[in-house]
């Protein structure tokens, strides 16, 4: 990457972060549905057209980082020894990334907005499906077995189901956490969700 490319990338990253910051302030102040793209563009000092250079939809402003977080969870999972069982490895990887997301008060406001807004919920589920594709290969290795063997399909569906369940537990815990104003804490709710599925 040349100097000009590097400067362009940093400039684009700074603009992306600033638009996101301005938009999130508007969302949390007046609500997601009542905030328009035109309002975001005006507050950020850009044109409506420029907004769409950075974001495909208004929902992507809130959930754009979910795709990046999925990659971070995958990387954290890959760093955990294969001797650690799947459920425990997934939980460890999720919390390593959770610590990078932000303070609980802000996250609670964002979670409440997300779970109360149908379009955000739908987009969140879509992005979590992408997480599943990223995490399943590692869990297949943890479960062992040859994917090309006669029973390979059984091992494959087991890994898919386990990762889908772990993500569903995280989503369920998040919904309850938001409805109850952050109490008990998200990790406790996640562990309870997992325990109910594994029992």
């Amino acid at each position: 990457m040349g100097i000009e490319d590097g400067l362009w990338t940093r400039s684009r990253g700074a603009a992306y972060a600033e638009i996101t910051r301005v938009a999130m302030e508007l969302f949390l102040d007046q609500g997601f549905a009542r905030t328009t793209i035109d309002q975001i563009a005006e507050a950020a000092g850009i044109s409506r057209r420029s907004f769409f250079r950075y974001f495909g939809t208004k929902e992507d402003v809130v959930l754009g980082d979910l795709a990046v977080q999925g990659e971070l969870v995958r990387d954290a999972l890959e760093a955990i020894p294969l001797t650690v069982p799947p459920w425990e490895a997934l939980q460890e990887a999720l919390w390593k990334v959770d610590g990078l997301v932000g303070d609980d008060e802000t996250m609670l406001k964002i979670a409440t907005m997300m779970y109360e807004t149908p379009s955000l919920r739908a987009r969140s589920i879509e992005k979590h499906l992408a997480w599943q594709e990223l995490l399943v290969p590692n869990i297949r290795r943890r479960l062992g077995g040859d994917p090309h063997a006669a029973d390979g399909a059984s091992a494959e569906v087991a890994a898919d189901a386990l990762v889908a369940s772990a993500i569903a537990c995280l989503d369920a815990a998040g919904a309850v956490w938001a409805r109850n104003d952050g109490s008990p804490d998200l990790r406790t709710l996640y562990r309870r969700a997992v325990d109910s599925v594994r029992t």
Side-chain angles (χ1 to χ4, degrees):
M1 179 183 290
I3 293 175
E4 289 186 5
D5 290 337
L7 289 172
W8 184 86
T9 299
R10 288 195 295 275
S11 176
R12 180 175 173 81
Y16 179 95
E18 178 62 13
I19 297 166
T20 300
R21 184 191 66 76
V22 168
M24 291 304 297
E25 285 180 359
L26 288 170
F27 291 151
L28 296 177
D29 181 54
Q30 61 190 30
F32 183 82
R34 289 191 295 275
T35 301
T36 67
I37 289 173
D38 287 335
Q39 287 176 325
I40 296 169
E42 181 179 356
I46 60 172
S47 67
R48 179 184 176 90
R49 185 174 181 178
S50 293
F51 174 90
F52 287 111
R53 289 196 189 109
Y54 295 92
F55 303 96
T57 66
K58 195 169 68 167
E59 286 77 12
D60 286 337
V61 178
V62 180
L63 299 171
D65 284 346
L66 265 187
V68 175
Q69 288 170 22
E71 294 173 1
L72 293 174
V73 174
R74 178 200 58 201
D75 294 345
L77 187 61
E78 291 291 339
I80 297 169
L82 290 176
T83 52
V84 177
W87 280 107
E88 288 74 11
L90 281 166
Q91 178 170 295
E92 183 178 337
L94 286 168
W95 296 140
K96 280 184 178 177
V97 173
D98 177 69
L100 303 175
V101 172
D103 64 277
D104 282 352
E105 184 178 350
T106 301
M107 288 308 301
L108 180 59
K109 290 178 181 178
I110 294 171
T112 301
M113 178 175 64
M114 185 189 74
Y115 286 108
E116 291 178 350
T117 308
S119 63
L120 286 174
R121 286 287 288 124
R123 199 84 171 104
S124 170
I125 291 169
E126 179 184 325
K127 288 184 181 289
H128 276 161
L129 287 174
W131 281 30
Q132 185 166 342
E133 292 182 12
L134 292 171
L135 303 179
V136 160
N138 181 279
I139 298 305
R140 285 180 186 162
R141 293 198 299 276
R142 288 178 193 277
L143 292 174
D146 182 356
H148 303 294
D151 64 343
S154 296
E156 186 175 356
V157 76
D160 283 16
L162 198 153
V163 173
S165 296
I167 292 172
C169 286
L170 181 63
D171 190 54
V176 172
W177 183 68
R179 282 200 304 269
N180 289 278
D181 295 323
S183 180
D185 66 88
L186 186 56
R187 295 189 188 202
T188 298
L189 288 169
Y190 177 76
R191 284 193 293 269
R192 289 177 184 171
V194 168
D195 287 346
S196 71
V197 169
R198 298 181 68 181
T199 300

